[in-house]
């Protein structure tokens, strides 16, 4: 055992480099006689350079050998627990065919300037899945670095244009940290193809562009924990997000949901979609059935404001966006509940 640390921005300026510096310090602290160690840049630089070079080689090899794969996590409708969409995550195959999360490579790819290539591969894999399964809908997270890169926007548009049957079932998820100009540019490009945009870490006061607003997981977890402790107003930020999303004809999403009582609390606020361990974690194959059966909501739930019409770009002119399909499903569920009361 040992204790080690590194300081930003003195020792590193990126999360990946800071983590590497801390690991270097910890390795030193575990040596006999050095129980507490602060990262030494002079000693650590060779290993950092080695880490960067090794990571760049790993990314290039994985791209060249087509070793990236998608995993899928269900996001369920708050009305009844049926699957509304699948969120994707990128995995990488090792030499023996085993799968591990590619998150570490994605994090290191940002300062290396090659994350755009990884996100393009993730989009291509998602389109393959959409083409193979005409019923599935996918939520594909994209690095804010790629999302703000005009080159990636053009590549994504080129991949989606003329494929409205696929794009209408695709939602690109980005961070709200993206500058407003870049966010608007990406949203407009996606809408031209029929794809949707989800904003992760959204708050109601921002009035963001996306059709789907995803609450910050840390905020959601803290709010649910505080609510269990009977802390007054703990869930108010999530309630405000749900209300703002409903008024604008958008979809609100929140998680992680660990227990049935968490799901009920979020449903009571009007959150449209839920995700978390209660419904299933990432797996190599998408779930083909309801992830978790929730009791139908009681009648009398306030109806959301009308949904704005969003062009899709399909040849037959039919609307097939994830937003319109999800709203239609919500209305059918409400009608079914009303018919049995």
């Amino acid at each position: 055992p040992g204790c080690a640390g590194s300081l930003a921005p003195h020792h590193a300026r990126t999360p990946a480099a800071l983590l590497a510096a801390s690991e270097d310090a910890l390795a030193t602290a575990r040596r006999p006689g050095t129980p507490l160690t602060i990262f030494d840049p002079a000693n650590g630089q060779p290993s950092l350079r080695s880490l960067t070079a090794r990571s760049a080689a790993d990314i290039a090899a994985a791209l060249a050998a087509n070793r990236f794969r998608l995993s899928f996590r269900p996001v369920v409708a708050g009305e009844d627990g049926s699957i509304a969409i699948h969120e994707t995550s990128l995995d990488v195959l090792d030499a023996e065919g085993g799968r591990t999360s590619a998150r570490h490579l994605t994090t290191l790819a940002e300062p290396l300037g090659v994350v755009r290539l990884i996100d393009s591969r993730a989009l291509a894999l998602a389109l393959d899945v959409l083409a193979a399964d005409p019923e599935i809908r996918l939520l594909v997270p994209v690095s804010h670095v790629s999302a703000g890169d005009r080159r990636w926007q053009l590549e994504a548009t080129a991949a989606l244009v003329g494929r409205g049957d696929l794009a209408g079932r695709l939602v690109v998820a980005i961070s709200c940290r993206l500058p407003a100009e870049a966010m608007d540019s990406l949203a407009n490009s996606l809408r031209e193809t029929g794809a949707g945009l989800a904003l992760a870490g959204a708050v109601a006061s921002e009035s963001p562009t996306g059709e789907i607003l995803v609450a910050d997981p840390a905020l959601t977890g803290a709010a649910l924990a505080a609510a269990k402790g009977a802390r007054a107003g703990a869930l108010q930020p999530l309630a405000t997000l749900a209300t703002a999303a409903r008024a604008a004809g958008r979809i609100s999403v929140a998680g992680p949901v660990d227990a049935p009582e968490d799901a009920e609390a979020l449903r009571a606020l009007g959150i449209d979609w839920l995700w978390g361990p209660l419904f299933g974690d990432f797996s190599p194959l998408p779930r083909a059935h309801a992830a978790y059966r929730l009791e139908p909501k009681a009648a009398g739930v306030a109806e959301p404001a009308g949904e704005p019409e969003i062009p899709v770009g399909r040849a037959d002119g039919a609307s097939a966006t994830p937003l319109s399909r999800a709203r239609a499903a919500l209305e059918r569920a409400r009608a079914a509940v009303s018919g049995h009361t």
Side-chain angles (χ1 to χ4, degrees), residues 25-141:
L26 182 59
T28 302
R30 284 175 173 168
R31 298 171 187 167
T34 56
L36 175 62
T37 302
I38 300 299
F39 176 67
D40 183 350
N43 294 333
Q45 283 303 314
S47 62
L48 286 175
R49 286 197 296 269
S50 176
L51 173 67
T52 301
R54 185 168 64 252
S55 299
D58 288 344
I59 293 170
L63 288 168
N66 194 27
R67 290 195 284 111
F68 284 112
R69 297 291 185 272
L70 291 180
S71 286
F72 307 87
R73 175 169 63 187
V75 179
V76 309
E79 287 287 343
D80 58 5
S82 61
I83 295 177
I85 199 168
H86 280 89
E87 180 185 357
T88 67
S89 179
L90 205 58
D91 293 342
V92 63
L93 300 180
D94 59 27
E96 289 73 34
R99 296 170 69 116
T100 57
S101 172
R103 189 172 302 171
H104 65 293
L105 292 180
T106 303
T107 301
L108 291 169
E110 291 183 354
L112 290 173
V114 295
V115 70
R116 175 173 59 92
L117 302 178
I118 294 179
D119 284 329
S120 293
R121 182 60 56 85
L123 179 61
L125 291 171
L127 290 175
D128 289 342
V129 173
L130 291 168
D133 185 345
E135 298 299 324
I136 196 170
R137 304 184 187 98
L138 296 180
L139 179 72
V140 181

Side-chain angles (χ1 to χ4, degrees), residues 23-319:
E23 290 175 343
D24 288 342
L26 182 59
T28 302
R30 284 175 173 168
R31 298 171 187 167
T34 56
L36 175 62
T37 302
I38 300 299
F39 176 67
D40 183 350
N43 294 333
Q45 283 303 314
S47 62
L48 286 175
R49 286 197 296 269
S50 176
L51 173 67
T52 301
R54 185 168 64 252
S55 299
D58 288 344
I59 293 170
L63 288 168
N66 194 27
R67 290 195 284 111
F68 284 112
R69 297 291 185 272
L70 291 180
S71 286
F72 307 87
R73 175 169 63 187
V75 179
V76 309
E79 287 287 343
D80 58 5
S82 61
I83 295 177
I85 199 168
H86 280 89
E87 180 185 357
T88 67
S89 179
L90 205 58
D91 293 342
V92 63
L93 300 180
D94 59 27
E96 289 73 34
R99 296 170 69 116
T100 57
S101 172
R103 189 172 302 171
H104 65 293
L105 292 180
T106 303
T107 301
L108 291 169
E110 291 183 354
L112 290 173
V114 295
V115 70
R116 175 173 59 92
L117 302 178
I118 294 179
D119 284 329
S120 293
R121 182 60 56 85
L123 179 61
L125 291 171
L127 290 175
D128 289 342
V129 173
L130 291 168
D133 185 345
E135 298 299 324
I136 196 170
R137 304 184 187 98
L138 296 180
L139 179 72
V140 181
V142 172
S143 163
H144 73 281
V145 175
S146 296
D149 189 330
R150 186 57 182 165
R151 295 172 299 173
W152 185 86
Q153 293 183 16
L154 292 174
E155 291 171 3
T157 302
L160 294 170
V161 70
R163 306 182 74 180
D165 57 328
L166 304 185
R169 293 183 282 122
L170 174 74
V171 177
V172 173
I174 63 171
S175 168
C176 281
R177 293 185 298 161
L178 195 67
E181 183 178 351
M183 190 182 298
D184 290 340
S185 174
L186 177 60
N188 292 333
S189 297
L190 291 174
R191 283 175 181 153
E192 290 176 0
T193 69
L197 178 66
L199 297 183
V203 294
S205 61
E206 293 176 341
S207 298
T209 303
E211 294 85 33
I212 298 177
L213 307 184
V214 184
D216 184 277
L219 181 150
T220 303
L224 289 171
K228 291 177 181 177
R231 180 175 165 186
L235 297 177
Q236 187 55 46
L238 295 173
T240 302
L241 178 66
T243 301
R246 185 180 300 116
R250 294 166 176 159
I251 293 174
S252 56
V253 186
V257 177
D258 297 310
E261 55 267 30
D262 295 337
E264 291 305 318
L266 294 175
R267 294 173 75 204
L269 298 177
I271 297 293
D272 295 313
W273 292 353
L274 312 173
W275 64 270
L278 181 65
F279 311 116
D281 208 342
F282 285 107
S283 62
L285 295 176
R287 302 281 288 272
H289 53 82
Y292 187 86
R293 182 55 54 188
L294 295 170
E295 291 298 322
K297 280 188 176 181
V301 176
E303 294 292 328
E307 174 195 346
E309 199 65 34
I310 300 175
V312 178
R314 286 180 55 172
D316 58 7
S319 175

